[in-house]
Every structure is written in C-alpha cells, then in structure tokens.
Amino acid sequence: MTPLEALQQTLAGEHAAVYVYGVLGGRLGASAHPALARRLTAAYTTHRGRRDRLTAMVRSAGAEPVASALSYRLPNPCRTPAQLTAAARVTELRCAAVYAAAVGSTARSDRRWAIDALVDTAVREMSFGGVPTAFPGAEEL
Amino acid sequence: MLDRVLATGRVHPHLAGPLAGARATHRAHVDLLARAVPTGAAARRPARRRQPVPRSQAAALAALAGAEDRLASAGGGHALVARSGPFARVLASMAASAAQQGARLAAAGEDLR
C-alpha cells in the first residue's frame, strides 16, 4: 500500500466513524445518560477533526480525497445504551486497525499522526467498555 | 516493564488481579520481540537500576501506570523511526497497548484511594 493509499483508506474509515457517531449521538437520550453522551460527543468531535485533517493531508499529497458514502451499515441495531456503547467500541476497534495499517505504510509526520491516532483510539475504546489487548489494531499478532 | 510488573506483584500479592492484564501483555510483547530478534539481543537486559515498589497498593499502581505511559510515549517514538513499515506497525501497536495498560492501572489505583 502506498502512503497515499493508506491516507485514503484511513479517510474512508474516518468517514464511516463520523457517520456512526452522528447516529449514536442522535439516538441517545442525553439527559438520561449524561456520561455516555459526553463520551460520544467527544469521540464524534475527535473523529470529525481527524477526517478534516486527513482530507487536508490527501490534498497536500496532490490527490482528490475519497468521498463519504451516503450511509453506512451500523454495527448493531443501536437502540439501547448498551448497543450504542457496543457500536462505539466496534467503531474504535475498526479505526485502530486502519490507523495501525497507516502507521506501516506512511513515514515522518503522517506516520506520527497515525501513531498518535492509534494510541488515542486504543484508550478511547476502553471508555466504551473495551478491554486492553496486547496488540491493538494488529490483533493477528 | 515486565520485570517491574512482576516486582510489584511480589511486593503486593493482593494486586494479582489488577496486574494480570499487564503481566500477560508485556509477556506477549517480550515474546514477540524475542522472535523478531533471533540473535538473543532481546534477552539481554539493560543494567538499569530497579525502581523501588511503593509500599501502598494505590501508589504502586499509580507508579506502574506512569511507567506504562512513558513506555507508550517511547514506543511511539521508536515506531516513528523504524525503517520497516511492518515493524513500525508492531511497535505502534505495542505503544497503544502500553497506553491501555496505563489507563487501566491508573483507574485501578484510583479505585483503591
């Protein structure tokens, strides 16, 4: 995978994450679950920022950023707080795999960005009930 | 880091539960690095002064959490300069794993306070 392909793949993953978090935030009764609402909002803001940053990174590499799909399949029905939490966890797990792949296919500042994103998403996953693993984003190891 | 986790477990046997994850994780990291460096370089340990284990359980967990965070930061730096992309991916994953352990140990330490 070329560095540009890695950035585009990561951007595609970020489009999906932003979509999913947008749905999750809209479906949660924030007044009944303020702590979860705060975590979902923080995750949404983080992923939206990453999407924008990746868009700029792809442009600066001289390419047209991959577009978002109209919609994405949700990880589960996303009705109950438990399902919303699980969907957030799955989203972070998927992002971790994408960031780890980006680390392996980029260099310098782009790799630094991917490393920081991987570390952040691995810890964020735990805030949605995830358990620590020996190789986040590279579970086949 | 594995040595430090094991030393903490010897001083604080009651922390076996909170330390189990860190122990398994760092053993997996050591095993992978040992396979990646077949010359045995990974088996040579740096002659570094051992950190004393704090006497209180909460302080011991907090100290380990801090060490995990520093390891995560250092690991990210190693991943950045790794020549091989696949090895950079491994090192970055290990850094993320240390960050997870840091968060978990810090939370466990807070629970004891």
Side-chain angles (χ1 to χ4, degrees):
Chain A
M1 190 161 46
T2 68
L4 179 58
E5 287 169 347
L7 293 179
Q8 293 278 37
Q9 180 176 295
T10 312
L11 175 56
E14 218 56 90
H15 280 314
V18 168
Y19 175 89
V20 171
Y21 275 114
V23 172
L24 300 186
R27 290 193 180 177
L28 183 72
S31 56
H33 306 280
L36 178 56
R38 273 196 301 276
R39 290 200 297 275
L40 289 176
T41 300
Y44 177 74
T45 303
T46 296
H47 286 286
R48 203 179 47 187
R50 285 189 191 141
R51 177 202 62 190
D52 295 345
R53 174 92 178 101
L54 280 160
T55 299
M57 288 157 79
V58 170
R59 284 225 170 87
S60 74
E64 184 62 25
V66 63
S68 170
L70 285 177
S71 66
Y72 293 85
R73 181 179 299 193
L74 297 171
N76 63 43
C78 295
R79 296 288 175 203
T80 67
Q83 288 172 342
L84 297 173
T85 303
R89 188 166 65 242
V90 168
T91 301
E92 297 301 333
L93 277 171
R94 290 175 179 167
C95 284
V98 172
Y99 299 144
V103 169
S105 299
T106 56
R108 295 180 290 280
S109 62
D110 289 350
R111 184 186 282 182
R112 177 81 261 177
W113 182 91
I115 293 167
D116 292 343
L118 174 58
V119 170
D120 176 86
T121 219
V123 174
R124 192 180 300 277
E125 182 221 331
M126 291 169 58
S127 77
F128 293 113
V131 294
T133 60
F135 299 101
E139 307 291 349
E140 85 285 357
L141 296 172
Chain B
M1 192 69 214
L2 177 59
D3 283 351
R4 192 160 175 179
V5 173
L6 294 175
T8 302
R10 282 192 295 273
V11 174
H12 298 291
H14 287 97
L15 293 180
L19 295 177
R23 195 175 61 235
T25 286
H26 291 296
R27 203 179 290 286
H29 292 175
V30 168
D31 289 348
L32 182 137
L33 291 175
R35 288 198 305 275
V37 188
T39 58
R44 286 200 302 271
R45 295 174 185 192
R48 198 183 289 177
R49 190 170 62 86
R50 287 206 175 166
Q51 297 290 326
V53 177
R55 295 173 99 180
S56 96
Q57 294 182 5
L61 289 175
L64 268 188
E68 294 280 11
D69 288 344
R70 289 190 293 278
L71 181 63
S73 180
H78 294 316
L80 181 62
V81 299
R83 289 186 183 180
S84 137
F87 195 49
R89 176 174 174 267
V90 170
L91 293 176
S93 175
M94 289 170 55
S97 172
Q100 285 185 329
Q101 291 300 332
R104 176 132 133 176
L105 291 167
E110 285 297 316
D111 287 346
L112 290 179
R113 287 185 194 277

mmCIF file of all heavy atoms in Angstrom, chain A residues 100-101 103-104 108 111-112 115 118-119 122-123 125-126 132-138 140-141, chain B residues 25 28-29 32 76-77 79-80 82 85 88-90 92-94 96-97 99-101 103-104:
data_model
loop_
_atom_site.group_PDB
_atom_site.id
_atom_site.type_symbol
_atom_site.label_atom_id
_atom_site.label_comp_id
_atom_site.label_asym_id
_atom_site.label_seq_id
_atom_site.Cartn_x
_atom_site.Cartn_y
_atom_site.Cartn_z
ATOM 1 N N ALA A 100 -3.372 1.483 12.461
ATOM 2 C CA ALA A 100 -2.167 0.649 12.525
ATOM 3 C C ALA A 100 -1.643 0.380 11.112
ATOM 4 O O ALA A 100 -0.427 0.420 10.874
ATOM 5 C CB ALA A 100 -2.467 -0.668 13.251
ATOM 6 N N ALA A 101 -2.567 0.113 10.188
ATOM 7 C CA ALA A 101 -2.147 -0.096 8.797
ATOM 8 C C ALA A 101 -1.497 1.172 8.247
ATOM 9 O O ALA A 101 -0.494 1.105 7.517
ATOM 10 C CB ALA A 101 -3.355 -0.489 7.943
ATOM 11 N N VAL A 103 0.152 3.401 9.946
ATOM 12 C CA VAL A 103 1.498 3.517 10.530
ATOM 13 C C VAL A 103 2.502 2.759 9.666
ATOM 14 O O VAL A 103 3.597 3.245 9.374
ATOM 15 C CB VAL A 103 1.525 2.960 11.975
ATOM 16 C CG1 VAL A 103 2.969 2.843 12.468
ATOM 17 C CG2 VAL A 103 0.730 3.849 12.916
ATOM 18 N N GLY A 104 2.099 1.556 9.244
ATOM 19 C CA GLY A 104 3.005 0.713 8.483
ATOM 20 C C GLY A 104 3.245 1.166 7.056
ATOM 21 O O GLY A 104 4.178 0.692 6.403
ATOM 22 N N ARG A 108 7.417 9.690 8.559
ATOM 23 C CA ARG A 108 7.549 11.047 9.104
ATOM 24 C C ARG A 108 6.244 11.570 9.725
ATOM 25 O O ARG A 108 5.629 10.897 10.516
ATOM 26 C CB ARG A 108 8.113 11.980 8.037
ATOM 27 C CG ARG A 108 9.551 11.601 7.647
ATOM 28 C CD ARG A 108 10.112 12.522 6.605
ATOM 29 N NE ARG A 108 9.475 12.348 5.304
ATOM 30 C CZ ARG A 108 9.783 11.376 4.452
ATOM 31 N NH1 ARG A 108 10.722 10.516 4.742
ATOM 32 N NH2 ARG A 108 9.152 11.279 3.304
ATOM 33 N N ARG A 111 3.170 9.396 9.583
ATOM 34 C CA ARG A 111 3.245 8.240 10.489
ATOM 35 C C ARG A 111 3.041 8.697 11.931
ATOM 36 O O ARG A 111 2.379 8.013 12.713
ATOM 37 C CB ARG A 111 4.590 7.520 10.347
ATOM 38 C CG ARG A 111 4.659 6.263 11.206
ATOM 39 C CD ARG A 111 6.025 5.618 11.199
ATOM 40 N NE ARG A 111 6.280 4.844 9.981
ATOM 41 C CZ ARG A 111 7.402 4.153 9.779
ATOM 42 N NH1 ARG A 111 8.364 4.156 10.688
ATOM 43 N NH2 ARG A 111 7.571 3.485 8.657
ATOM 44 N N ARG A 112 3.619 9.828 12.287
ATOM 45 C CA ARG A 112 3.441 10.362 13.648
ATOM 46 C C ARG A 112 1.952 10.550 13.941
ATOM 47 O O ARG A 112 1.462 10.210 15.014
ATOM 48 C CB ARG A 112 4.183 11.699 13.769
ATOM 49 C CG ARG A 112 4.043 12.422 15.084
ATOM 50 C CD ARG A 112 4.975 11.857 16.131
ATOM 51 N NE ARG A 112 4.299 10.945 17.022
ATOM 52 C CZ ARG A 112 4.918 10.278 17.996
ATOM 53 N NH1 ARG A 112 6.229 10.400 18.172
ATOM 54 N NH2 ARG A 112 4.256 9.479 18.771
ATOM 55 N N ILE A 115 0.331 7.143 14.490
ATOM 56 C CA ILE A 115 0.702 6.568 15.800
ATOM 57 C C ILE A 115 -0.145 7.199 16.904
ATOM 58 O O ILE A 115 -0.724 6.505 17.745
ATOM 59 C CB ILE A 115 2.203 6.795 16.083
ATOM 60 C CG1 ILE A 115 3.061 5.989 15.117
ATOM 61 C CG2 ILE A 115 2.538 6.430 17.532
ATOM 62 C CD1 ILE A 115 4.537 6.411 15.122
ATOM 63 N N LEU A 118 -3.676 5.998 16.742
ATOM 64 C CA LEU A 118 -3.808 4.613 17.207
ATOM 65 C C LEU A 118 -3.800 4.555 18.738
ATOM 66 O O LEU A 118 -4.638 3.871 19.349
ATOM 67 C CB LEU A 118 -2.670 3.755 16.638
ATOM 68 C CG LEU A 118 -2.585 2.319 17.156
ATOM 69 C CD1 LEU A 118 -3.872 1.553 16.888
ATOM 70 C CD2 LEU A 118 -1.390 1.594 16.529
ATOM 71 N N VAL A 119 -2.873 5.269 19.354
ATOM 72 C CA VAL A 119 -2.792 5.263 20.826
ATOM 73 C C VAL A 119 -4.078 5.837 21.420
ATOM 74 O O VAL A 119 -4.660 5.269 22.348
ATOM 75 C CB VAL A 119 -1.556 6.059 21.299
ATOM 76 C CG1 VAL A 119 -1.589 6.257 22.813
ATOM 77 C CG2 VAL A 119 -0.270 5.344 20.874
ATOM 78 N N ALA A 122 -7.080 3.440 20.990
ATOM 79 C CA ALA A 122 -6.998 2.246 21.836
ATOM 80 C C ALA A 122 -7.475 2.552 23.250
ATOM 81 O O ALA A 122 -8.160 1.739 23.878
ATOM 82 C CB ALA A 122 -5.560 1.725 21.859
ATOM 83 N N VAL A 123 -7.127 3.733 23.742
ATOM 84 C CA VAL A 123 -7.578 4.125 25.087
ATOM 85 C C VAL A 123 -9.059 4.499 25.065
ATOM 86 O O VAL A 123 -9.823 4.151 25.974
ATOM 87 C CB VAL A 123 -6.718 5.293 25.611
ATOM 88 C CG1 VAL A 123 -7.262 5.803 26.939
ATOM 89 C CG2 VAL A 123 -5.260 4.849 25.761
ATOM 90 N N GLU A 125 -11.343 3.310 23.185
ATOM 91 C CA GLU A 125 -12.132 2.077 23.092
ATOM 92 C C GLU A 125 -12.470 1.558 24.497
ATOM 93 O O GLU A 125 -13.559 1.053 24.746
ATOM 94 C CB GLU A 125 -11.342 1.031 22.299
ATOM 95 C CG GLU A 125 -12.074 -0.268 22.081
ATOM 96 C CD GLU A 125 -11.156 -1.451 22.252
ATOM 97 O OE1 GLU A 125 -9.954 -1.320 21.993
ATOM 98 O OE2 GLU A 125 -11.649 -2.507 22.684
ATOM 99 N N MET A 126 -11.501 1.681 25.414
ATOM 100 C CA MET A 126 -11.739 1.218 26.781
ATOM 101 C C MET A 126 -12.830 2.039 27.467
ATOM 102 O O MET A 126 -13.550 1.525 28.322
ATOM 103 C CB MET A 126 -10.445 1.284 27.582
ATOM 104 C CG MET A 126 -9.428 0.261 27.104
ATOM 105 S SD MET A 126 -7.822 0.562 27.845
ATOM 106 C CE MET A 126 -8.215 0.460 29.558
ATOM 107 N N PRO A 132 -8.199 -4.052 27.474
ATOM 108 C CA PRO A 132 -6.868 -3.920 26.879
ATOM 109 C C PRO A 132 -6.448 -5.214 26.180
ATOM 110 O O PRO A 132 -6.798 -6.311 26.621
ATOM 111 C CB PRO A 132 -5.957 -3.652 28.091
ATOM 112 C CG PRO A 132 -6.856 -3.206 29.179
ATOM 113 C CD PRO A 132 -8.175 -3.868 28.934
ATOM 114 N N THR A 133 -5.739 -5.060 25.090
ATOM 115 C CA THR A 133 -5.186 -6.224 24.398
ATOM 116 C C THR A 133 -3.692 -5.992 24.181
ATOM 117 O O THR A 133 -3.206 -4.868 24.323
ATOM 118 C CB THR A 133 -5.869 -6.450 23.036
ATOM 119 O OG1 THR A 133 -5.670 -5.286 22.223
ATOM 120 C CG2 THR A 133 -7.359 -6.703 23.205
ATOM 121 N N ALA A 134 -2.995 -7.050 23.833
ATOM 122 C CA ALA A 134 -1.537 -6.936 23.686
ATOM 123 C C ALA A 134 -1.164 -6.177 22.419
ATOM 124 O O ALA A 134 -0.118 -5.506 22.385
ATOM 125 C CB ALA A 134 -0.904 -8.322 23.681
ATOM 126 N N PHE A 135 -2.014 -6.253 21.380
ATOM 127 C CA PHE A 135 -1.648 -5.631 20.111
ATOM 128 C C PHE A 135 -2.860 -4.921 19.482
ATOM 129 O O PHE A 135 -3.408 -5.385 18.481
ATOM 130 C CB PHE A 135 -1.063 -6.674 19.145
ATOM 131 C CG PHE A 135 0.184 -7.318 19.659
ATOM 132 C CD1 PHE A 135 0.149 -8.577 20.234
ATOM 133 C CD2 PHE A 135 1.409 -6.642 19.603
ATOM 134 C CE1 PHE A 135 1.311 -9.158 20.743
ATOM 135 C CE2 PHE A 135 2.573 -7.210 20.104
ATOM 136 C CZ PHE A 135 2.517 -8.480 20.673
ATOM 137 N N PRO A 136 -3.256 -3.772 20.059
ATOM 138 C CA PRO A 136 -4.390 -3.048 19.483
ATOM 139 C C PRO A 136 -4.146 -2.687 18.015
ATOM 140 O O PRO A 136 -3.055 -2.236 17.640
ATOM 141 C CB PRO A 136 -4.444 -1.764 20.330
ATOM 142 C CG PRO A 136 -3.739 -2.114 21.604
ATOM 143 C CD PRO A 136 -2.687 -3.102 21.220
ATOM 144 N N GLY A 137 -5.155 -2.918 17.196
ATOM 145 C CA GLY A 137 -5.040 -2.598 15.788
ATOM 146 C C GLY A 137 -4.287 -3.640 14.982
ATOM 147 O O GLY A 137 -4.243 -3.563 13.746
ATOM 148 N N ALA A 138 -3.646 -4.572 15.675
ATOM 149 C CA ALA A 138 -2.858 -5.616 14.995
ATOM 150 C C ALA A 138 -3.105 -6.934 15.730
ATOM 151 O O ALA A 138 -2.175 -7.618 16.141
ATOM 152 C CB ALA A 138 -1.377 -5.260 14.996
ATOM 153 N N GLU A 140 -3.852 -9.794 14.953
ATOM 154 C CA GLU A 140 -3.375 -11.082 14.439
ATOM 155 C C GLU A 140 -2.021 -11.453 15.040
ATOM 156 O O GLU A 140 -1.598 -12.600 14.950
ATOM 157 C CB GLU A 140 -3.283 -11.042 12.903
ATOM 158 C CG GLU A 140 -1.979 -10.476 12.339
ATOM 159 C CD GLU A 140 -1.893 -8.960 12.463
ATOM 160 O OE1 GLU A 140 -2.843 -8.315 12.929
ATOM 161 O OE2 GLU A 140 -0.836 -8.394 12.088
ATOM 162 N N LEU A 141 -1.351 -10.457 15.647
ATOM 163 C CA LEU A 141 -0.056 -10.750 16.265
ATOM 164 C C LEU A 141 -0.280 -11.569 17.538
ATOM 165 O O LEU A 141 0.566 -12.218 18.041
ATOM 166 C CB LEU A 141 0.672 -9.442 16.594
ATOM 167 C CG LEU A 141 1.057 -8.572 15.396
ATOM 168 C CD1 LEU A 141 1.580 -7.223 15.869
ATOM 169 C CD2 LEU A 141 2.129 -9.260 14.555
ATOM 170 N N THR B 25 0.205 -8.974 28.912
ATOM 171 C CA THR B 25 0.505 -8.103 27.776
ATOM 172 C C THR B 25 2.013 -7.976 27.555
ATOM 173 O O THR B 25 2.515 -8.133 26.441
ATOM 174 C CB THR B 25 -0.117 -6.717 28.025
ATOM 175 O OG1 THR B 25 -1.526 -6.813 27.844
ATOM 176 C CG2 THR B 25 0.436 -5.675 27.071
ATOM 177 N N ALA B 28 3.640 -11.074 26.290
ATOM 178 C CA ALA B 28 3.396 -11.225 24.844
ATOM 179 C C ALA B 28 4.332 -10.316 24.043
ATOM 180 O O ALA B 28 4.859 -10.719 22.994
ATOM 181 C CB ALA B 28 1.931 -10.906 24.518
ATOM 182 N N HIS B 29 4.557 -9.103 24.541
ATOM 183 C CA HIS B 29 5.469 -8.188 23.842
ATOM 184 C C HIS B 29 6.892 -8.719 23.841
ATOM 185 O O HIS B 29 7.580 -8.680 22.814
ATOM 186 C CB HIS B 29 5.432 -6.800 24.508
ATOM 187 C CG HIS B 29 4.127 -6.081 24.325
ATOM 188 N ND1 HIS B 29 3.866 -4.875 24.920
ATOM 189 C CD2 HIS B 29 3.013 -6.407 23.623
ATOM 190 C CE1 HIS B 29 2.648 -4.471 24.585
ATOM 191 N NE2 HIS B 29 2.106 -5.389 23.802
ATOM 192 N N LEU B 32 7.189 -11.620 21.426
ATOM 193 C CA LEU B 32 7.210 -11.209 20.020
ATOM 194 C C LEU B 32 8.567 -10.602 19.657
ATOM 195 O O LEU B 32 9.139 -10.914 18.607
ATOM 196 C CB LEU B 32 6.092 -10.208 19.744
ATOM 197 C CG LEU B 32 6.014 -9.775 18.277
ATOM 198 C CD1 LEU B 32 4.574 -9.725 17.801
ATOM 199 C CD2 LEU B 32 6.683 -8.432 18.031
ATOM 200 N N GLY B 76 6.057 4.942 20.834
ATOM 201 C CA GLY B 76 5.622 5.708 19.677
ATOM 202 C C GLY B 76 6.807 6.325 18.946
ATOM 203 O O GLY B 76 6.846 6.356 17.708
ATOM 204 N N GLY B 77 7.782 6.788 19.709
ATOM 205 C CA GLY B 77 8.992 7.343 19.101
ATOM 206 C C GLY B 77 9.782 6.301 18.329
ATOM 207 O O GLY B 77 10.293 6.573 17.236
ATOM 208 N N ALA B 79 8.481 3.625 16.957
ATOM 209 C CA ALA B 79 7.693 3.307 15.758
ATOM 210 C C ALA B 79 7.930 4.355 14.670
ATOM 211 O O ALA B 79 7.997 4.029 13.481
ATOM 212 C CB ALA B 79 6.198 3.234 16.112
ATOM 213 N N LEU B 80 8.069 5.602 15.104
ATOM 214 C CA LEU B 80 8.253 6.682 14.138
ATOM 215 C C LEU B 80 9.528 6.504 13.313
ATOM 216 O O LEU B 80 9.550 6.772 12.114
ATOM 217 C CB LEU B 80 8.275 8.025 14.877
ATOM 218 C CG LEU B 80 8.426 9.269 14.014
ATOM 219 C CD1 LEU B 80 7.250 9.402 13.055
ATOM 220 C CD2 LEU B 80 8.526 10.521 14.893
ATOM 221 N N ALA B 82 11.278 3.597 12.962
ATOM 222 C CA ALA B 82 11.524 2.240 12.469
ATOM 223 C C ALA B 82 11.680 2.253 10.952
ATOM 224 O O ALA B 82 10.933 2.935 10.248
ATOM 225 C CB ALA B 82 10.380 1.318 12.878
ATOM 226 N N GLY B 85 8.154 -0.674 7.602
ATOM 227 C CA GLY B 85 6.760 -0.325 7.875
ATOM 228 C C GLY B 85 6.067 -1.344 8.758
ATOM 229 O O GLY B 85 5.420 -0.974 9.742
ATOM 230 N N ALA B 88 7.205 -0.934 12.240
ATOM 231 C CA ALA B 88 6.642 0.298 12.806
ATOM 232 C C ALA B 88 5.222 0.038 13.298
ATOM 233 O O ALA B 88 4.819 0.515 14.372
ATOM 234 C CB ALA B 88 6.638 1.409 11.753
ATOM 235 N N ARG B 89 4.474 -0.731 12.516
ATOM 236 C CA ARG B 89 3.093 -1.064 12.904
ATOM 237 C C ARG B 89 3.077 -1.850 14.212
ATOM 238 O O ARG B 89 2.264 -1.580 15.099
ATOM 239 C CB ARG B 89 2.451 -1.874 11.773
ATOM 240 C CG ARG B 89 1.063 -2.386 12.060
ATOM 241 C CD ARG B 89 0.481 -3.034 10.803
ATOM 242 N NE ARG B 89 -0.796 -3.684 11.037
ATOM 243 C CZ ARG B 89 -0.936 -4.967 11.342
ATOM 244 N NH1 ARG B 89 0.130 -5.750 11.451
ATOM 245 N NH2 ARG B 89 -2.137 -5.478 11.542
ATOM 246 N N VAL B 90 4.000 -2.822 14.330
ATOM 247 C CA VAL B 90 4.080 -3.614 15.561
ATOM 248 C C VAL B 90 4.416 -2.717 16.753
ATOM 249 O O VAL B 90 3.770 -2.789 17.812
ATOM 250 C CB VAL B 90 5.153 -4.726 15.414
ATOM 251 C CG1 VAL B 90 5.411 -5.397 16.762
ATOM 252 C CG2 VAL B 90 4.710 -5.754 14.382
ATOM 253 N N ALA B 92 4.037 0.518 17.108
ATOM 254 C CA ALA B 92 2.946 1.448 17.420
ATOM 255 C C ALA B 92 1.824 0.726 18.158
ATOM 256 O O ALA B 92 1.221 1.274 19.097
ATOM 257 C CB ALA B 92 2.410 2.085 16.136
ATOM 258 N N SER B 93 1.556 -0.509 17.752
ATOM 259 C CA SER B 93 0.526 -1.292 18.432
ATOM 260 C C SER B 93 0.932 -1.553 19.882
ATOM 261 O O SER B 93 0.108 -1.467 20.804
ATOM 262 C CB SER B 93 0.299 -2.605 17.680
ATOM 263 O OG SER B 93 -0.611 -3.412 18.382
ATOM 264 N N MET B 94 2.207 -1.865 20.096
ATOM 265 C CA MET B 94 2.687 -2.091 21.459
ATOM 266 C C MET B 94 2.589 -0.811 22.280
ATOM 267 O O MET B 94 2.277 -0.849 23.481
ATOM 268 C CB MET B 94 4.127 -2.612 21.422
ATOM 269 C CG MET B 94 4.221 -4.039 20.904
ATOM 270 S SD MET B 94 5.921 -4.583 20.566
ATOM 271 C CE MET B 94 6.705 -4.281 22.125
ATOM 272 N N ALA B 96 0.347 1.529 21.861
ATOM 273 C CA ALA B 96 -1.076 1.683 22.172
ATOM 274 C C ALA B 96 -1.484 0.745 23.305
ATOM 275 O O ALA B 96 -2.283 1.103 24.178
ATOM 276 C CB ALA B 96 -1.916 1.415 20.925
ATOM 277 N N SER B 97 -0.906 -0.441 23.294
ATOM 278 C CA SER B 97 -1.193 -1.408 24.347
ATOM 279 C C SER B 97 -0.707 -0.899 25.704
ATOM 280 O O SER B 97 -1.411 -1.014 26.716
ATOM 281 C CB SER B 97 -0.514 -2.735 23.994
ATOM 282 O OG SER B 97 -0.610 -3.631 25.052
ATOM 283 N N ALA B 99 -0.381 2.182 26.537
ATOM 284 C CA ALA B 99 -1.280 3.278 26.921
ATOM 285 C C ALA B 99 -2.569 2.729 27.535
ATOM 286 O O ALA B 99 -3.101 3.276 28.500
ATOM 287 C CB ALA B 99 -1.595 4.151 25.707
ATOM 288 N N GLN B 100 -3.067 1.628 26.957
ATOM 289 C CA GLN B 100 -4.259 0.994 27.540
ATOM 290 C C GLN B 100 -3.979 0.515 28.960
ATOM 291 O O GLN B 100 -4.783 0.716 29.872
ATOM 292 C CB GLN B 100 -4.690 -0.204 26.681
ATOM 293 C CG GLN B 100 -5.382 0.160 25.388
ATOM 294 C CD GLN B 100 -5.889 -1.081 24.664
ATOM 295 O OE1 GLN B 100 -5.289 -2.161 24.759
ATOM 296 N NE2 GLN B 100 -6.972 -0.926 23.931
ATOM 297 N N GLN B 101 -2.837 -0.122 29.149
ATOM 298 C CA GLN B 101 -2.495 -0.604 30.487
ATOM 299 C C GLN B 101 -2.336 0.559 31.452
ATOM 300 O O GLN B 101 -2.727 0.462 32.622
ATOM 301 C CB GLN B 101 -1.207 -1.442 30.441
ATOM 302 C CG GLN B 101 -1.350 -2.781 29.730
ATOM 303 C CD GLN B 101 -2.391 -3.686 30.378
ATOM 304 O OE1 GLN B 101 -2.652 -3.610 31.575
ATOM 305 N NE2 GLN B 101 -3.004 -4.551 29.586
ATOM 306 N N ALA B 103 -3.891 3.405 31.378
ATOM 307 C CA ALA B 103 -5.223 3.892 31.738
ATOM 308 C C ALA B 103 -5.893 2.945 32.727
ATOM 309 O O ALA B 103 -6.516 3.374 33.708
ATOM 310 C CB ALA B 103 -6.077 4.045 30.475
ATOM 311 N N ARG B 104 -5.746 1.655 32.467
ATOM 312 C CA ARG B 104 -6.402 0.687 33.335
ATOM 313 C C ARG B 104 -5.782 0.666 34.733
ATOM 314 O O ARG B 104 -6.495 0.629 35.736
ATOM 315 C CB ARG B 104 -6.298 -0.699 32.706
ATOM 316 C CG ARG B 104 -6.871 -1.774 33.584
ATOM 317 C CD ARG B 104 -7.786 -2.674 32.815
ATOM 318 N NE ARG B 104 -7.460 -4.061 33.116
ATOM 319 C CZ ARG B 104 -8.146 -5.084 32.646
ATOM 320 N NH1 ARG B 104 -9.124 -4.872 31.804
ATOM 321 N NH2 ARG B 104 -7.824 -6.298 32.965
#
